[in-house]
Amino acid sequence: MTTDQFLLLLPYIFSALVSLSLAGYAWSHRKVAGALAFVWLALGQTINTIAYIFEVLSDDIDAKLFWDDVQWFTFFYIAIVTLIFVYQFVKPPLKHPSRWLAGLLVFPILFLVLLLIDRSLVRTNESLSGGEQFFILNYDFTVLGYIASLYLLAVGILAIVLIIWGISRANILQRRQLITILIGISIPFIGGLLTVANVTLTFQRDISPIMIAIGNLVIAWGLFRYQLFEIAPIARTTIFESITDPVIVVDTVDRLVDLNPAARTLLNQPSGKPLLLGHNLRESFREWDELSLEVPDSGQSFERELSLNRAGIQRTFVLSSSPIPIYKNIIGGRVVWFKDITERKHNEGELRQRTQELDQARQQAEFADEQKTQFLSVMSHELRTPLNAIINFNQFVSSGLFGAVNKKQIEALEKSTTSARQLLELINEMLDLSKIEAGHLELHIEPVIDFRREIEEVIAITHSFMNSKSVNLQEDIAPDLPTFEGDKRRIRQVLLNLLGNAAKYTEVGHIRLRVWYDNATIQFAVSDTGPGIPLDQQALIFEPFHQLNRDSHKSGSTGLGLPISKRLVEAHGGKLWLESSAGEGSTFYFSLPVVNNFL
Amino acid sequence: MSHGAHFLYVEDDSLSREVMQILLNEVIDAGSVTILPTSDNFIERVRQLEHLPDFILLDIYVEPVNGYDLLTQIRADSDFAHTKVIAVTASVMSTEVALLKAKGFDGAIAKPLDFATFPSLIHRIEAGEVIWQV
C-alpha cells in the first residue's frame, strides 16, 4: 500500500475505527436494553468497512469478488440487526417477534447460500478496470441481485417506519433520542441508495462505508447525549444509597452482597471501614439474631414488625424480606428492608386518641343537646297547667263572669294575661330552637286542604294582640289557593309570628297580609308601617338571641320567633326573607312549594 | 249545638278541673257537666250517670288508667258509639300529638285553654270536624 493509497483509504480506515470503538463502548454498557444490539450492529459495520478496504486494496478479480461477497453478507447482517436494534428501542406490540425474525431471515439465507454456490447467480459481466490508484471491480446485477437490493431497501424502510411509529408514541426525552437514532439510521440507508444509483466519490469509491460511520456517530451521539444508558444505573445506585431506611442484600446462603449507608450503621460498619462483602452475615455479624434476619423461607416475601434500640432510642421497624429472581424462577438472594415506622405508629396512636376524644366530645354534646331538649319539653309541659289556670281565671274575671269590673281592672287583667302568654311563648320558642339545633325537629307533612280558615284564625288572634292600637289590619287572600303539602301547625306558627311581630312594632298605619299562588308555590307577604329595619340589622334578626343584648326588655320578645320561622319555612323547602328600610316599614315574605319534595 | 250537650271530663289537677267547670257551665252552657278526678272504675261510673256524655274530655296523665287506655275502653263499648272523645293535654310534643292521632281521638285541645276560641272548637268537633288545636 502506497502513501497515496493510504491517504485515499484513510476515511474508510477511520470509519472502521469509529464503528469499532462505538461497539466497544456499547459492550461495556451491554446490560441496558438496546445496547447489545448496537454492539452487534457496529461490529457488523466495522467488518463491512474492513471488507471494503480489502476489496479496494486487492488487485486480482477473485480476491476482489471474495471481499465483495463478504460485503454482501454484512449488508444483510446490518439490515437485520438494525431492525432488531430499532425493535428493542420502540417495542412494537408483536405477539411472536422471533417468528417475524425467522421470516425475515428466509431470503437472506437463501440468497447467501446461492451466492456461495454460484456467484454468477448474483453478478454478471465481472471485470477489472484500472483506476488512478486502484483496480476497480465492475459487474452488473442479475435479477436475483436486484431482488436482494430491493430486500435491503425494504428492511431499511421497515426500520425507519418503526422508528417513526415509536416517535409518535414517545415522551419528549425519548422522542428527541429516537429522532437522533432515526437520522443515524437514515444516513447509511441513503448511502446505500446512492451506491445502488451509482453515485460514487471522485476517485470512484463507494460512499456507503463512510455514510455508515457517520450514521453510527449520530446514533452514538444520540445515545450519549441523552445518556439513558448511563443515567439508569447511576440513578439506581443514588437511590439505594440515599434511602434512610437500612437495606441489606444477601445471597441465598446469607452472604452479604450489598448494603446502603443506613444499613452500615445498623450493622456497626463505619463508612470508612472496608465492606465485609461476601462474608456470611449469620456467622460474621452478632447483629444477626438481634435484627432477627432469619426468615422462614428466603424464597418468599416476608414481613415482620420489630423494635430496635438505635442510638438509645427505641424505634419500630417493619422488616421486609423480598426474594430477588435472577433468571426465571431461580432466586439469587433477597433484599432485606428495615422500614422505620416509628413516626407512623406514633401518628396513628395520636390520631386514634384524637378520634376517640372527638367522638367522646361529640357524644357528650349530643347527650347535652338531648338533655336540654328533654328539660325544655318537661318545662313546657309543667308550665302549661298553671298557665291554664292563670290565663283562664284572668279572662273569667275580665269578661265579667264573676261580677262587674271597671276598665282599669280589665286592662290590668289583660296585661297579666299577655305576660302569661309571653312566658309560654318563651318556653315554646326555646323548645323549638333546641329541637331544630339538635336536628330533632319533626314536620308532619300532610295535604293542607283549607288553609284559608287557619289564616282567618291567625288574623283573629292578631287582632287580639293589637288591643286598642289604631292600626288597620287588611287581608288580601287569593280565592283560588290550591291544596299544598306541609305541616299546618308549623305554617300557622310562622304566620302568627310574622303578624304578631307586625302588630307588636306598628303603632299607627296598617298591617297587610297578602296570600297568593304563583309558580307552584304559595306566597305570603306581611307588610307593616312600623319603624322598619335598617339594612345592617336585616341579617342579624334571623340569628337566635340577637335581641337579648339590645332591647328585648322593650319589645317583650326573645327574638327567637324569626330565626325559628325561617328554619321552619326552610325545613319545608321554602324561603323566608324581608324587604325593609328604616322609617319605611317592613315586608316579610315567605314561599312554600305546593308539592313537598323536600322531605 | 253544644248548648245542652252532656260533658264528662277526667282531670287530676284541681285548678284545671275548676277552669273547665266554669268554661263548660258559664261559657258553653252545657246541659250537664261531670268531672272525675281519677279514672277509677271509669266505664262503670259513667254508666251510672243520668245522661250518657256527648263529649268526653280526657287528660292523658290521669291515674290509675291513662287517657290512651281510657279511649280504648270507650271505643270498645257500643254505648259510646256516638260520643266524641277529645284529649285535653299539656303535652304538645309532635311525637305525642302523632300518638293521639294514631290512637283515634276525635281531636285534641292544648292547655292553656283559650276562653275566646274554646266554644267554637267544641262546636266544630260536634259538627264532625277533627280538631288538633295544639
Side-chain angles (χ1 to χ4, degrees), chain A residues 309-523:
Chain A
N309 193 320
R310 291 188 76 188
I313 300 160
Q314 204 66 22
R315 299 194 73 87
T316 312
F317 292 87
V318 168
L319 180 151
S320 145
S321 169
S322 319
I324 306 169
I326 288 187
Y327 179 74
K328 289 187 177 169
N329 294 327
I330 299 166
I331 302 299
R334 58 190 168 106
V335 182
V336 184
W337 186 314
F338 295 82
K339 288 174 197 150
D340 191 335
I341 57 160
T342 314
E343 294 293 317
R344 200 180 82 196
K345 279 210 101 89
H346 181 69
N347 290 343
E348 276 172 5
E350 292 251 298
L351 190 66
R352 205 175 304 122
Q353 202 185 338
R354 278 287 170 283
T355 312
Q356 269 172 7
E357 284 169 8
L358 280 174
D359 221 39
Q360 216 170 354
R362 187 178 51 79
Q363 277 174 6
Q364 279 171 357
E366 275 176 8
F367 184 68
D369 269 350
E370 207 81 43
Q371 294 282 80
K372 191 169 75 182
T373 306
Q374 196 64 39
F375 170 75
L376 289 168
S377 160
V378 170
M379 284 294 288
S380 162
H381 180 260
E382 294 301 318
L383 274 175
R384 279 169 179 269
T385 305
L387 283 170
N388 187 39
I390 295 170
I391 290 167
N392 278 287
F393 278 109
N394 275 341
Q395 289 182 333
F396 294 154
V397 175
S398 70
S399 65
L401 270 181
F402 299 158
V405 275
N406 65 37
K407 202 182 166 204
K408 220 167 180 176
Q409 288 167 328
I410 291 174
E411 277 175 17
L413 286 167
E414 277 178 353
K415 282 173 188 162
S416 171
T417 304
T418 306
S419 299
R421 286 199 189 281
Q422 273 175 10
L423 191 61
L424 183 64
E425 197 188 335
L426 170 66
I427 192 80
N428 283 348
E429 284 179 345
M430 284 176 62
L431 181 58
D432 279 346
L433 193 70
S434 164
K435 280 193 277 189
I436 288 169
E437 290 188 341
H440 289 327
L441 179 76
E442 285 175 34
L443 293 182
H444 290 278
I445 302 288
E446 57 188 4
V448 180
I449 293 159
D450 188 10
F451 197 64
R452 178 179 277 271
R453 166 175 260 159
E454 300 289 329
I455 295 171
E456 297 298 347
E457 277 184 20
V458 171
I459 284 172
I461 296 168
T462 310
H463 269 298
S464 75
F465 290 162
M466 298 201 297
N467 298 329
S468 50
K469 281 181 186 174
S470 59
V471 174
N472 183 15
L473 180 51
Q474 307 164 354
E475 50 185 294
D476 175 7
I477 300 158
D480 55 345
L481 289 182
T483 299
F484 63 99
E485 292 172 8
D487 186 330
K488 187 158 81 175
R489 194 172 133 237
R490 291 306 196 174
I491 299 165
R492 185 192 149 104
Q493 181 184 345
V494 174
L495 201 54
L496 188 58
N497 172 246
L498 296 183
L499 281 168
N501 285 346
K504 206 179 292 171
Y505 292 105
T506 308
E507 295 302 328
V508 284
H510 66 267
I511 296 168
R512 185 155 175 252
L513 168 67
R514 279 183 298 138
V515 187
W516 70 101
Y517 172 73
D518 179 36
N519 193 23
T521 54
I522 310 275
Q523 306 277 343

Side-chain angles (χ1 to χ4, degrees), chain A residues 114-129:
Chain A
L114 289 173
L115 184 65
L116 289 176
I117 294 168
D118 187 353
R119 279 179 181 151
S120 65
L121 288 170
V122 181
R123 290 179 285 239
T124 56
N125 306 329
E126 296 102 328
S127 63
L128 277 186
S129 59

Side-chain angles (χ1 to χ4, degrees), chain B:
Chain B
M1 287 299 288
S2 38
H3 282 291
H6 303 289
F7 287 86
L8 172 69
Y9 184 36
V10 188
E11 168 66 80
D12 64 345
D13 175 60
S14 67
L15 278 176
S16 295
R17 289 199 298 269
E18 210 176 319
V19 166
M20 186 63 87
Q21 179 98 48
I22 294 165
L23 277 174
L24 293 174
N25 279 331
E26 308 290 331
V27 183
I28 290 187
D29 197 13
S32 71
V33 176
T34 310
I35 296 187
L36 302 176
T38 71
S39 53
D40 221 12
N41 289 326
F42 178 76
I43 296 288
E44 206 175 307
R45 285 160 71 186
V46 176
R47 275 185 211 288
Q48 290 167 3
L49 293 174
E50 193 182 336
H51 305 283
L52 281 184
D54 302 305
F55 291 92
I56 298 177
L57 307 172
L58 294 179
D59 181 24
I60 299 303
Y61 299 104
V62 286
E63 299 286 343
V65 182
N66 71 30
Y68 298 120
D69 294 339
L70 285 181
L71 178 72
T72 311
Q73 289 180 14
I74 294 163
R75 289 289 186 240
D77 197 316
S78 59
D79 285 353
F80 303 108
H82 300 290
T83 307
K84 300 287 185 188
V85 186
I86 302 162
V88 179
T89 177
S91 288
V92 291
M93 299 292 284
S94 48
T95 46
E96 291 181 61
V97 174
L99 191 57
L100 292 175
K101 285 186 187 180
K103 290 280 180 181
F105 278 92
D106 291 305
I109 302 174
K111 291 180 201 168
L113 302 172
D114 186 65
F115 177 82
T117 58
F118 185 73
S120 79
L121 291 178
I122 294 295
H123 181 64
R124 280 163 61 190
I125 292 171
E126 188 181 32
E129 208 177 316
V130 178
I131 299 284
W132 300 98
Q133 193 70 69
V134 289

